[in-house]
Amino acid sequence: MNAALHGGDTGNAHIRPEERIAALTDGLHLMMDEAVECPSHWQVLLDASATLWRYSGGNVALLMIQMAQRGTEEPTLVAGYKEWARHGRTVSRGERALWVIAPRTARVQQATPPDGTQQRVAVGDQLPRGAVDDGKKTVITGWRGQAVFDVSQTQGKPLLVPRGVAAAGADVSELWQSLAAVADRHGFEVDVTDAQHGLTSGFTDFAGHRVQVGGWLGQQERTAVLAHELGHVLLHGPDDEIGRLYGSGADHRGLAEVEAESVAYTVLRAHGIDRGPQSATYLAGWADAVIEAENDAIAHDAGYRRPRSRADIAKSVLGRVTGASKGILEISHPPGFGGKISASDVEPRIDPAVSYLGMEQPVPSVDGPGMAGP
């Protein structure tokens, strides 16, 4: 990809934090515009997301932009300077950092006053009179640029690096069991049946909490259909407020199908199964679906919360797809590291229903809906 980061040199370690965030965000918007103008870029993003699945879609895109600018290979395993040192590797002399967007966090004291509301105060501050101490919690207070390095920029102790995932192969029957477990965790029963819903090979019944998969399919195709339907389960239920902001789901079925198939493609790719030819029809419609949603947003002037530009819509779709894929892959355990050495993924989330005393109110993700942090 030929996208370039705007708004300043993100490789300059001395620019102000807000300038770095602005530059990263501008670069991400440009890359999303490119992905709509050239739909094949969407599949490239999904391929990278299958390798770096522990990162948000926005940060995957940012890493790809910066590595492409330097004419080097795509990133495969990324960590900060100190994290590499903890694993016996050092950053090679002369290497410039890659930058991702990371949350700025703070420890807060949670309390419930007599009126029953939830409040948070800075650790060490006095609690409101009569309040019950609910313990401490880490919350997001803002966003910052974080310097990281790809394994190709380091030297030292050898590490198993997840390259060429398509060559790894996969135990399809084992993957099927993992996907069925994901469905079960979300309260859905998987029904393999010869009954057909319309002309489809699979169907998700939200009212009945049931996923139907065609019994006439082979094992790999059946697994791919289940992965697709899990995309619907995780993204397109009746409580999908984010998708409704830009028309995913019932309003724009084409975009919902692109999201679901993108989840399936990413999950199977992470497990060494290349579904490129089979997914091509769905993924080729990516740009048209995004543009249709953009035109609908403009026509209906649906308010400030709704992503209006194609770049904003594309960015939100990428965040939703990678978030859903990560939720599945954390259970199915594909080979490799998922782009991070450390597998600890405790991510604090902003709770808008809580008031903050003596503290700055946390700000929403700069990545937009569904893309909170790395």
Side-chain angles (χ1 to χ4, degrees), residues 10-33:
T10 58
N12 183 349
H14 303 292
I15 67 173
R16 295 198 306 271
E18 60 272 19
E19 291 177 335
R20 189 179 308 284
I21 290 292
L24 290 169
T25 304
D26 287 348
L28 182 56
H29 271 81
L30 179 61
M31 190 173 195
M32 292 298 97
D33 271 330

Side-chain angles (χ1 to χ4, degrees), residues 55 63 78-81 96-100 146-150 153:
Y55 281 89
L63 289 167
V78 181
Y81 188 93
R96 290 181 298 154
L98 305 168
W99 291 89
V100 294
Q146 178 177 331
V148 294
F149 299 87
D150 184 63
Q153 298 176 281

Side-chain angles (χ1 to χ4, degrees), residues 83-371:
E83 187 66 32
W84 280 124
R86 279 194 288 268
H87 288 81
R89 296 186 69 84
T90 58
V91 175
S92 302
R93 184 181 298 274
E95 291 289 348
R96 290 181 298 154
L98 305 168
W99 291 89
V100 294
I101 297 173
R104 192 182 302 278
T105 61
R107 292 287 287 172
V108 299
Q109 185 75 41
Q110 301 186 114
T112 303
D115 63 5
T117 62
Q118 286 186 304
Q119 295 183 351
R120 291 174 180 165
V121 300
V123 173
D125 286 1
Q126 186 174 359
L127 297 180
R129 183 181 297 274
V132 176
D133 186 344
D134 295 327
K136 298 180 177 65
K137 184 177 182 179
T138 301
V139 298
I140 295 175
T141 60
W143 303 92
R144 61 186 174 85
Q146 178 177 331
V148 294
F149 299 87
D150 184 63
V151 65
S152 62
Q153 298 176 281
T154 67
Q155 55 189 353
K157 182 180 177 181
L159 291 172
L160 172 66
V161 180
R163 294 185 184 274
V165 294
D171 184 335
V172 178
S173 60
E174 184 176 322
L175 178 55
W176 167 269
Q177 294 298 326
S178 296
L179 297 182
V182 175
D184 183 66
R185 287 196 182 194
H186 289 271
F188 282 74
E189 177 186 357
V190 177
D191 180 19
V192 179
T193 174
D194 287 331
Q196 191 171 19
H197 183 87
L199 298 176
T200 64
S201 298
F203 175 71
T204 298
D205 176 7
F206 284 98
H209 292 272
R210 185 173 65 94
V211 172
Q212 178 178 305
V213 178
W216 61 90
L217 301 172
Q219 184 66 61
Q220 181 169 306
E221 189 66 26
R222 189 182 300 175
T223 302
V225 170
L226 179 54
H228 177 104
E229 296 306 320
L230 285 179
H232 288 307
V233 168
L234 271 63
L235 294 177
H236 304 129
D239 298 327
D240 175 27
E241 295 181 0
I242 292 176
R244 284 197 296 271
L245 290 178
Y246 60 88
S248 181
D251 294 333
H252 283 288
R253 195 63 191 171
L255 190 52
E257 291 300 326
V258 168
E259 286 181 330
E261 187 62 21
S262 295
V263 169
Y265 179 89
T266 303
V267 168
L268 269 63
R269 179 79 172 171
H271 278 278
I273 301 172
D274 184 2
R275 294 284 299 176
Q278 295 87 347
S279 298
T281 301
Y282 278 113
L283 301 185
W286 138 263
D288 290 340
V290 170
I291 292 171
E292 181 187 355
E294 178 189 43
N295 292 337
D296 185 72
I298 295 171
H300 290 86
D301 190 21
Y304 76 96
R305 290 189 65 220
R306 182 169 180 168
R308 302 179 64 87
S309 74
R310 63 185 61 181
D312 286 333
I313 295 169
K315 185 154 58 73
S316 185
V317 170
L318 179 61
R320 285 158 57 81
V321 166
T322 54
S325 299
K326 180 179 178 181
I328 296 171
L329 292 169
E330 285 177 332
I331 296 173
S332 63
H333 302 299
F337 295 107
K340 286 185 179 180
I341 300 178
S342 174
S344 58
D345 288 298
V346 179
E347 298 181 353
R349 299 296 181 187
I350 297 172
D351 186 349
V354 176
S355 63
Y356 293 75
L357 302 180
M359 301 177 61
E360 184 178 349
Q361 180 72 21
V363 296
S365 166
V366 295
D367 277 342
M371 296 179 66

